[in-house]
């Protein structure tokens, strides 16, 4: 079950945010026996969508949610509704990935890093052998090993926000591209296939700027060009670089050490590669070829080729392919023929969601010391164990121990609302 919009959509009406949880609560109540509600923990974790809001608005949204969760019938306390940091989000995703790969609890040098490309932010997390400042350092102790992680969230560099930034640069005429028309009143959008007509509704202008920018849109011509779009995407990624306080900043004003080891590229990395039908370990050079072909195609032909795809989603694949190359190759230095990157959405039957990592770390006290003997499986029937509910910007975690311990091993279950599946974890006694 997936609920939209996310909590950040209530920026203009914070007091209404709590009502958006009611459907999720009812969903949970139908699957957890009533006698267990009082001992079932419920947690709300907000991510990048709320991190972008002003603190006053953010707190009002959280308080609205708390007011609903207090009377939900589940076990809840106010500090269980919070906004997690970007570093924690990246760390949770790293834990989930390495748990799925079977490397959590083993040699740190054999673990796999993770690069996430969400809508509002991007996360980079991996084991680093070099010294890190506290700002970028996270430690995870699991079994006999302590993992020293570089973990950082690149707020405003998620795919959707980056695309909005590009549009603002186009409107403000800050982009100076070689394909731009010599005519003073004509401007070129290199990240949209030719033949596409921009509409005022899709640009979300502020009210005071509508008239002026609407006039500009009439002179903005879509003329897809992958190379120029890649250059524009790189400009977006370098925005704020003048504020860099480190010896070198790869993206904006953020320090990222040299990437070490193998990586899983998730979320929009995966969705874009899937759209272009690329192999999980496809080279970035393969994505360039696919992006060039898409960007150069006529919009009318693309609509006929993908008749069921949402227009706005389809239109963005030119930008997303160019943005990924600009981020991974031009900014992070991953070679075009590098085999260390794998585009992934899950490992086996285990989804690569940070929610799973949050569950694992928050329940370490229930695990046996040393390497845990977990056996994950996917099932389709209900179970009165641990349920995890999340939407775009929040996660609600319901926790309850199964009472069927006699004759059966104790189980914990995560229910992934977005994918409509249960993940059952058997915990050794």
């Amino acid at each position: 079950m997936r609920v939209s919009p996310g909590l950040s959509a209530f920026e203009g009406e914070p007091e209404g945010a709590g009502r958006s949880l009611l459907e999720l609560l009812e969903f949970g109540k139908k699957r957890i026996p009533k006698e267990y509600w009082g001992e079932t923990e419920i947690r709300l974790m907000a991510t990048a969508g709320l991190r972008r809001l002003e603190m006053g608005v953010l707190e009002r949204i959280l308080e609205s949610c708390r007011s609903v969760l207090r009377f939900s019938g589940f076990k809840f306390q106010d500090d269980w509704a919070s906004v997690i940091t970007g570093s924690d989000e990246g760390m949770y995703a790293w834990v989930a990935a390495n748990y799925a790969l079977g490397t959590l609890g083993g040699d740190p040098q054999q673990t796999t890093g993770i690069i996430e490309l969400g809508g509002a932010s991007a996360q980079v997390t991996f084991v680093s052998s070099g010294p890190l400042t506290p700002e970028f350092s996270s430690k995870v102790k699991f079994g006999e090993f302590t993992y020293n992680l570089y973990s950082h969230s690149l707020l405003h560099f998620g795919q959707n926000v980056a695309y909005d930034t590009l549009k603002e640069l186009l409107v403000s005429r800050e982009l100076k591209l070689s394909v731009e028309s010599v005519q003073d009143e004509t401007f070129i959008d290199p990240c949209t296939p030719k033949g596409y007509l921009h509409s005022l509704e899709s640009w979300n202008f502020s009210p005071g700027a509508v008239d002026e920018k609407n006039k500009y849109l009439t002179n903005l011509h879509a003329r897809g060009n992958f190379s120029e779009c890649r250059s524009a995407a790189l400009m977006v990624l370098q925005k704020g670089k003048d504020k860099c306080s480190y010896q070198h900043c790869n993206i904006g004003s953020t320090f990222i050490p040299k990437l070490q080891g193998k990586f899983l590229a998730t979320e929009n990395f995966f969705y874009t590669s899937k759209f272009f039908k690329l192999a999980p370990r496809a080279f970035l050079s393969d994505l360039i070829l696919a992006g060039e072909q898409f960007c150069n195609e006529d919009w009318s032909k693309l609509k006929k080729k993908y008749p069921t795809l949402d227009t706005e989603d389809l239109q963005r694949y030119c930008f997303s392919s160019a943005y990924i190359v600009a981020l991974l190759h031009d900014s992070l230095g991953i070679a075009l023929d590098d085999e260390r990157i794998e585009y992934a959405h899950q490992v086996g039957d285990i989804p690569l969601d940070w929610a799973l990592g949050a569950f694992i770390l928050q329940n370490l006290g229930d695990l046996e010391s040393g390497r845990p003997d977990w056996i994950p499986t996917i099932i389709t029937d209900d179970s009165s164990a641990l349920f995890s509910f999340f939407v775009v910007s929040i996660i609600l975690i319901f926790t309850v121990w199964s009472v069927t311990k006699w004759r059966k091993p104790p189980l914990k279950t995560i229910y992934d609302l977005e994918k409509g599946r249960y993940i059952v974890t058997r915990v050794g006694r």
Side-chain angles (χ1 to χ4, degrees):
M1 177 182 179
R2 182 172 181 172
V3 178
S4 61
L7 290 181
S8 60
F10 293 90
E11 181 179 8
E13 187 195 358
E15 287 70 24
R19 293 194 298 272
S20 69
L21 306 182
L22 295 176
E23 189 176 356
L24 290 174
L25 291 171
E26 288 303 313
F27 183 89
K29 288 179 177 180
K30 291 178 180 178
R31 286 156 178 79
I32 301 175
K34 190 172 183 179
E35 58 266 31
Y36 300 131
W37 290 359
E39 60 187 273
T40 301
E41 295 180 2
I42 181 171
R43 296 174 184 262
L44 182 150
M45 297 179 182
T47 55
L50 286 198
R51 289 199 297 267
R52 298 176 58 219
L53 303 183
E54 294 181 359
M55 185 59 66
V57 175
L58 185 157
E59 284 299 329
R60 288 166 64 191
I61 288 176
L62 288 180
E63 186 55 36
S64 175
C65 294
R66 291 178 184 125
S67 66
V68 170
L69 297 177
R70 290 186 196 113
F71 300 99
S72 65
F74 296 107
K75 186 177 181 179
F76 174 74
Q77 56 190 48
D78 282 0
D79 60 355
W80 288 355
S82 63
V83 179
I84 65 172
T85 67
S87 294
D88 282 348
E89 185 180 349
M91 178 178 64
Y92 292 151
W94 181 89
V95 169
N98 284 279
Y99 162 66
L101 291 166
T103 51
L104 190 62
D107 183 356
Q109 299 306 314
Q110 298 302 313
T111 58
T112 297
I114 190 162
I115 308 176
E116 305 168 279
L117 182 58
S121 65
Q123 279 73 234
V124 180
T125 307
F126 62 97
V127 169
S128 177
S129 58
L132 298 171
T133 62
E135 178 185 1
F136 301 112
S137 177
S138 297
K139 291 184 182 295
V140 173
K141 182 172 175 57
F142 200 93
E144 301 176 356
F145 292 94
T146 296
Y147 302 92
N148 297 310
L149 302 177
Y150 170 89
S151 183
H152 190 69
S153 178
L154 301 157
L155 192 59
H156 306 300
F157 289 102
Q159 181 173 286
N160 295 346
V161 175
Y163 185 66
D164 289 340
T165 301
L166 171 71
K167 291 191 291 187
E168 287 297 325
L169 291 175
L170 286 171
V171 169
S172 64
R173 307 180 187 182
E174 290 183 40
L175 286 179
K176 304 298 181 183
L177 302 171
S178 60
V179 298
E180 194 166 11
S181 173
V182 295
Q183 302 177 36
D184 293 339
E185 297 302 321
T186 301
F187 302 92
I188 301 303
D189 173 9
C191 296
T192 302
K194 60 181 177 292
Y196 179 90
L197 297 178
H198 287 288
S199 64
L200 185 64
E201 293 76 16
S202 65
W203 283 61
N204 299 318
F205 290 140
S206 58
V210 169
D211 291 338
E212 178 182 348
K213 293 183 178 180
N214 187 32
K215 181 180 178 181
Y216 168 77
L217 283 184
T218 62
N219 296 317
L220 179 63
H221 298 277
R223 199 169 300 169
N225 182 303
F226 182 88
S227 296
E228 293 294 344
C229 184
R230 177 177 166 184
S231 298
L234 186 58
M235 292 180 192
V236 172
L237 289 163
Q238 292 178 337
K239 192 174 175 63
K241 209 164 190 175
D242 55 320
K243 299 178 182 177
C244 177
S245 58
Y246 307 96
Q247 186 174 1
H248 179 68
C249 291
N250 306 75
I251 298 173
S253 58
T254 301
F255 164 73
I256 302 177
K258 184 177 180 180
L259 303 186
Q260 300 174 22
K262 297 176 294 184
F263 283 84
L264 293 177
T266 66
E267 298 188 37
N268 284 312
F269 291 122
F270 170 79
Y271 299 131
T272 301
S273 68
K274 182 180 179 181
F275 172 81
F276 288 116
K277 299 181 179 180
L278 301 179
R281 291 190 178 276
F283 295 150
L284 284 175
S285 56
D286 297 325
L287 180 59
I288 290 176
L289 292 175
E292 287 177 340
Q293 183 176 359
F294 184 90
C295 292
N296 292 334
E297 187 60 271
D298 187 83
W299 177 249
S300 61
K301 293 182 180 180
L302 291 173
K303 284 296 293 180
K304 290 180 180 179
K305 186 176 181 180
Y306 305 98
T308 61
L309 201 59
D310 178 78
T311 296
E312 188 173 345
D313 290 339
L314 179 61
Q315 177 248 334
R316 291 189 181 191
Y317 278 111
C318 177
F319 172 76
S320 63
S321 60
Y323 188 68
I324 288 173
V325 174
L327 194 160
L328 295 181
H329 176 69
D330 301 329
S331 300
L332 296 181
I334 296 173
L336 296 180
D337 58 351
D338 199 321
E339 297 181 335
R340 295 182 300 157
I341 304 297
E342 179 178 354
Y343 305 107
H345 188 53
Q346 60 187 52
V347 173
D349 290 324
I350 302 177
L352 295 172
D353 292 311
W354 66 266
L356 173 59
F359 162 62
I360 292 171
L361 288 187
Q362 291 194 18
N363 288 273
L364 281 178
D366 296 325
L367 302 179
E368 296 179 335
S369 60
R371 188 178 180 88
D373 183 22
W374 289 2
I375 306 177
T377 57
I378 301 297
I379 62 174
T380 57
D381 57 326
D382 291 338
S383 175
S384 57
L386 181 144
F387 294 80
S388 173
F389 298 77
F390 66 93
V391 291
V392 174
S393 64
I394 66 170
I395 173 175
L396 296 176
I397 299 182
F398 294 79
T399 311
V400 67
W401 278 102
S402 170
V403 295
T404 57
K405 294 182 179 180
W406 188 62
R407 293 184 181 179
K408 295 181 180 181
L411 300 176
K412 287 186 176 182
T413 306
I414 291 178
Y415 185 82
D416 185 333
L417 281 176
E418 186 174 18
K419 301 171 183 67
R421 297 182 303 183
Y422 291 90
I423 305 171
V424 178
T425 298
R426 183 178 301 160
V427 183
R429 292 178 177 174

